[in-house]
Amino acid sequence: HGPFSRANPALASIFGHTSPDELMQSVDSISQSLCSDKALCDDFELKLKQDGEVSNFELQAHRTDGRRIWLSVSGRVVEPAMDSRGPLIEGLVDDVTDAKLATMQLEHQATIDELTRIPNRYLFLERLEQLVSQAERGGFGLSLLYLDLDHFKEINDAHGHHIGDLVLRQAAERISARIRHSDLVARLGGDEFTILLQNVNSDEDVRRVALEIIGSVGKPY
């Protein structure tokens, strides 16, 4: 929670400063000035308190130009806390932004349907398992809707697969527009979609949502 006591040119460069002196003069509180994700910072601090050291902990921070970066931080407590700013910590910081973004891109490609840009079967099954467990623990309702497009093969046969692809994209957009952000729509494959509705209060609520989706998807394309 305090400033940098010492820093080298590499650290200054990571955060967009021209020199260590400039970095140290501009930062009064490392956690408040540089840490973009408070939850990650809290986890880092907790682990440091419990173990006295942390290795290769990934944090999200931001540079002086506002750009967010990912850091791998290793540190250990050198001196115990002498004031409200906390203990003296020494460590190493590595900018892993490029590697992190590449990993996130691969994860995105593995879980998002390339055609419709909504979750795919893999992500749907993963989220279904999580939501069922949460519903059981929390005692709230969870409903699963299944939808496929009537006569879709005829569309492909009559107009070509490129038109069929456009219909699938628009169908995904129409379904997504009829559900809440907390719900989930996924493409299982072909013309098959699933919708997971969370915190459902009654069968009538499910019926209402289903009818809205059917009405929207059933309009001319």
Side-chain angles (χ1 to χ4, degrees), residues 2 80-87:
M82 302 299 292
D83 53 35
S84 61
R85 295 183 303 179

Side-chain angles (χ1 to χ4, degrees), residues 131-187:
L131 289 174
V132 168
S133 298
Q134 292 174 10
E136 289 174 342
R137 292 195 306 269
F140 58 82
L142 181 68
S143 290
L144 170 63
L145 307 180
Y146 170 84
L147 178 148
D148 67 350
L149 304 182
D150 293 344
H151 313 298
F152 183 69
K153 183 177 183 301
E154 297 172 18
I155 295 173
N156 279 331
D157 291 345
H159 303 286
H161 287 278
H162 65 293
I163 297 299
D165 288 348
L166 291 176
V167 171
L168 289 172
R169 289 197 192 102
Q170 286 194 23
E173 292 172 0
R174 295 180 185 190
I175 297 170
S176 299
R178 289 292 180 271
I179 62 174
R180 301 163 300 181
H181 290 299
S182 58
D183 300 324
L184 175 72
V185 57
R187 182 186 177 209

Side-chain angles (χ1 to χ4, degrees), residues 36-71:
S36 301
D37 191 322
K38 185 178 183 302
L40 286 177
C41 286
D42 291 344
D43 289 344
F44 178 84
E45 183 177 357
L46 178 61
K47 187 170 180 58
L48 197 62
K49 286 180 178 179
Q50 291 175 340
D51 303 336
E53 61 181 0
V54 180
S55 296
N56 301 317
F57 191 99
E58 289 190 349
L59 287 171
Q60 196 174 29
H62 52 265
R63 290 166 44 92
T64 55
D65 58 9
R67 183 167 63 90
R68 292 192 175 187
I69 55 177
W70 282 94
L71 307 174

Side-chain angles (χ1 to χ4, degrees), residues 123-136:
L123 182 56
F124 163 74
L125 293 174
E126 183 180 82
R127 290 288 291 140
L128 176 62
E129 185 175 348
Q130 294 172 354
L131 289 174
V132 168
S133 298
Q134 292 174 10
E136 289 174 342

Side-chain angles (χ1 to χ4, degrees), residues 80-125:
M82 302 299 292
D83 53 35
S84 61
R85 295 183 303 179
L88 180 64
I89 304 161
E90 70 172 4
L92 301 172
V93 176
D94 187 21
D95 185 347
V96 294
T97 304
D98 290 344
K100 187 70 175 181
L101 292 178
T103 300
M104 291 169 66
Q105 177 67 18
L106 289 174
E107 291 175 350
H108 179 82
Q109 292 173 350
T111 57
I112 299 299
D113 179 62
E114 185 175 354
L115 176 64
T116 60
R117 313 312 299 165
I118 63 175
N120 61 14
R121 174 190 292 266
Y122 173 81
L123 182 56
F124 163 74
L125 293 174

Side-chain angles (χ1 to χ4, degrees), residues 185-206:
V185 57
R187 182 186 177 209
L188 293 186
D191 63 336
E192 298 175 301
F193 297 86
T194 54
I195 303 101
L196 275 172
L197 305 177
Q198 297 189 65
N199 297 314
V200 179
N201 296 318
S202 68
D203 292 346
E204 186 57 35
D205 288 340
V206 179

